[in-house]
Amino acid sequence: MPALMWFRRDLRLADNPALVDAAGAGDVLPLFVLDPALWGPAGPSRRAYLGASLRSLDASLREQGGRLSVVRGDPGRRVLLAAQAVGATRVHVAADYGPYGRERDAAVEEALAEAGIELVRTGSSYAVAPGRVTKGDGSPYQVFTPFSKAWADHGWRPPVEAPPGVGWLALDEGTTEIPDPEPSAGLELPEAGEDAARRRWADFLDHVDAYADERDKPGLDGTSRMSVHLKYGEVHPRTLLADLARRRSEGARTYRTELAWREFYADVLGHRPETAREYLRPEHARMPYDEPGDQLEDWKHGRTGFPIVDAGMRQLRSIGWVHNRVRMIVASFLVKDLHVEWQHGARHFMTWLVDGDLPSNQHGWQWTAGCGTDAAPYFRVFNPTSQGTKFDPAGDYVRRWVPELADVADPHDPSADDRDRVGYPLPIVDHAEERREALARWETIRR
C-alpha cells in the first residue's frame, strides 16, 4: 500500500524512524510542502539554506531512483491532494512540538481523516520528545540542571538504519521547483545536507575532547557548528549522542549538556507555547523599557562602539551564525545597556540566523534578559569590554569582524585617538551608568 512521507525538519534518509515506518507499508512518496506561513518569515539565511538542503535531499533520493516532490501552499490541502494522487492511506511525519507545528498538524490530521487517511507520527527532532521528561508528580521541570539529569536518566533509542530498497513514488503534476533564492549580498552560508552534516560532525569528533576548554573562545573554531544541521534534521541528536557515548572526556560530557539545553528549551516551549512571544516570568513585562530607536539600529548593524558587540552583530549578518558566548553578550547589551525588550533582539536573530530555532532562540534570549529559566537572573549584566578581554584575549575575533580595529593596540578598548584614526565610533552608552539604570528598573518590579 503506498504511503506518503512528509518531510519537515528531518531532511535526511538515515536514522529517520518516520521514513522507516513509511517504507514498511510499501512504496513511498517523499513530499515537502513550501508553507507560506513558514517561508515568508524565515529571512534570507534560512530561505537560502533550506533550498540548498532540499536540493541535497533530492540528490540523495535520485541516487536511489526517486526524487523529492515539492508543492507550495496550505499544508492541509496540499498533503491531502498528494496522498490522494498516489492512493496513500497513511501520511508519515516526525512529530512537531512547536506552537505553529502542533496547530498545523492538527488541522492536517483533521483534513486527512475526513478523506479516510491517517496521519502517523513517529519520533521527533529530539532525542527525548518534549513532555516525556517530568517530575514525579507529572509536572514539567522549570530549571535546567534537574531536567538534564532526568533527561539523561530517561535515555533515548539508538539510531536506526536508513530503509533499504525503497520503491519511490513521485507526483506527476502540481509540483514546483525546489527554491534557489539568492542569499543577501555578502552572506556566506555553510554547506547544506545530510552528507555535509556527517562530515562536519566527523571533523568535530576529532577535536571534541578540547570542547570544554575552547567552546567559550569565539576567536577559535572550537564549537561544532552542528546547530544548523540539527535545525533542519540533516542529522538527528540521537546519532550525535551515540557517538559521544563512546567517549569519556570532559569535552564530550560538556557537549552532551549542550544538546540537553536544546531539548530543555523545546520542553519549556512545549509546555508554555505563549513564551515564543511573551515573558516566561510575566512580571518582567511590567518593567520600564525604552522604545526602540536609533540605538537599536546601531546594535543591529554593529556600530555601538563596543567591539565585541559589534563583532558579533557583523558576524551574524555575514554568515548567519554567532558564537554562543557572543550571543549572550550582545543580548545582554541590548536588554540591559539599551533597555530594549528582548523580543526585538530575538526577532532580529530569527531573521538572520541560519540555525534560527524557535525554542533555543527565544528562551536563550529570555535567559540572558533575566526573564527566563535562570534561577538567579536579572542582576547578571555582562560587561562587554571585560567579556571581550576574557574570552577573546588576543583579540582575534574582534580583529576579524571589526577589521578597522585590526591594528590598534587594544581592540577591546580602543582609545579615542585610535577610534578617530580608524573611523570607529565612540561607545553609544556608558556601560557602568546603564548597568545601574538596569538594576534600578529591576527594583521597580521587586516591590
Side-chain angles (χ1 to χ4, degrees):
M1 183 68 66
L4 187 153
M5 174 64 197
W6 179 14
F7 286 93
R8 290 99 68 88
R9 285 183 55 183
D10 51 351
L11 304 182
R12 65 186 185 280
L13 300 183
D15 193 15
N16 193 330
L19 178 58
V20 171
D21 271 10
D27 293 343
V28 178
L29 169 65
L31 181 77
F32 187 88
V33 181
L34 287 170
D35 183 350
L38 296 176
W39 180 257
S45 304
R46 293 203 306 287
R47 283 197 294 266
Y49 190 91
L50 174 59
S53 188
L54 292 174
R55 289 191 296 277
S56 176
L57 177 60
D58 180 61
S60 295
L61 288 166
R62 289 179 185 273
E63 289 177 359
Q64 298 188 10
R67 65 181 173 86
L68 182 66
S69 293
V70 179
V71 296
R72 185 187 300 271
D74 173 63
R77 179 172 178 271
R78 298 314 307 248
V79 172
L80 173 60
L81 290 175
Q84 291 175 326
V86 297
T89 58
R90 304 180 90 192
V91 172
H92 294 263
V93 297
D96 192 325
Y97 292 88
Y100 172 75
R102 278 181 164 173
E103 292 181 5
R104 175 203 59 207
D105 287 358
V108 172
E109 186 171 32
E110 182 178 354
L112 292 173
E114 291 176 358
I117 300 171
E118 182 183 3
L119 181 69
V120 183
R121 298 172 177 85
T122 307
S124 73
S125 299
Y126 304 99
V128 183
R132 297 289 299 276
V133 176
T134 60
K135 300 177 185 177
D137 61 1
S139 63
Y141 283 96
Q142 306 292 325
V143 178
F144 172 71
T145 300
F147 170 89
S148 64
K149 184 178 186 304
W151 172 82
D153 290 343
H154 182 284
W156 36 84
R157 295 178 180 178
V160 297
E161 297 294 328
V166 179
W168 300 109
L169 304 173
L171 295 178
D172 294 325
E173 56 185 30
T175 60
T176 187
E177 293 293 321
I178 295 175
D180 189 14
E182 283 291 326
S184 298
L187 184 63
E188 299 180 10
L189 298 179
E191 184 181 1
E194 184 175 3
D195 290 342
R198 289 176 178 171
R199 288 193 297 271
R200 178 69 195 181
W201 178 241
D203 289 344
F204 176 70
L205 276 179
D206 289 339
H207 305 94
V208 69
D209 293 348
Y211 177 72
D213 295 326
E214 296 184 353
R215 67 191 180 104
D216 270 328
K217 300 172 183 177
L220 301 177
D221 186 18
T223 64
S224 72
R225 300 286 186 96
M226 292 300 295
S227 55
V228 65
H229 301 301
L230 290 167
K231 156 71 181 175
Y232 291 96
E234 296 166 337
V235 67
H236 197 280
R238 250 188 331 258
T239 302
L240 311 189
L241 288 162
D243 289 337
L244 292 171
R246 293 189 282 269
R247 296 173 177 267
R248 296 291 180 264
S249 68
E250 185 62 27
R253 286 190 291 270
T254 302
Y255 192 85
R256 188 177 75 166
T257 300
E258 293 303 310
L259 292 175
W261 271 107
R262 178 178 181 267
E263 309 230 337
F264 174 59
Y265 283 149
D267 191 77
V268 172
L269 187 62
H271 286 100
R272 296 280 304 279
E274 77 281 4
T275 60
R277 302 289 181 267
E278 301 173 12
Y279 289 83
L280 181 70
R281 298 186 180 192
E283 66 272 16
H284 284 264
R286 304 195 311 268
M287 193 163 64
Y289 296 95
D290 290 356
E291 285 296 318
D294 291 344
Q295 289 184 339
L296 174 61
E297 293 304 309
D298 288 337
W299 176 84
K300 286 181 177 180
H301 291 90
R303 52 179 188 239
T304 68
F306 288 87
I308 192 75
V309 173
D310 294 340
M313 300 311 295
R314 296 184 194 185
Q315 182 183 36
L316 172 63
R317 297 286 284 261
S318 296
I319 62 172
W321 182 85
V322 186
H323 188 279
N324 189 60
R325 168 58 56 174
V326 182
R327 293 189 197 203
M328 291 189 287
I329 296 170
V330 302
S332 177
F333 185 83
L334 181 69
V335 176
K336 298 176 184 178
D337 284 72
L338 302 185
H339 316 296
V340 172
E341 289 189 89
W342 67 269
Q343 293 95 330
H344 295 282
R347 188 179 306 117
H348 181 70
F349 266 41
M350 286 299 289
T351 296
W352 286 98
L353 282 174
V354 69
D355 64 348
D357 175 73
L358 190 69
S360 294
N361 187 66
Q362 307 305 87
H363 280 284
W365 267 91
Q366 292 214 50
W367 188 92
T368 303
C371 58
T373 58
D374 189 12
Y378 199 80
F379 48 80
R380 181 194 293 110
V381 181
F382 288 116
N383 181 317
T385 302
S386 61
Q387 286 280 305
T389 301
K390 179 178 180 180
F391 294 108
D392 182 35
D396 295 336
Y397 179 76
V398 165
R399 287 189 169 96
R400 176 179 179 184
W401 295 109
V402 189
E404 58 265 44
L405 298 178
D407 66 351
V408 303
D410 184 353
H412 292 295
D413 192 16
S415 67
D417 286 344
D418 278 339
R419 291 171 185 265
D420 182 64
R421 175 174 60 84
V422 302
Y424 184 67
L426 293 169
I428 60 174
V429 295
D430 181 305
H431 170 71
E433 182 178 316
E434 301 307 334
R435 179 182 183 279
R436 289 190 292 271
E437 174 65 16
L439 297 179
R441 295 188 187 200
W442 179 46
E443 288 294 335
T444 66
I445 63 170
R446 296 185 67 208
R447 298 169 187 153

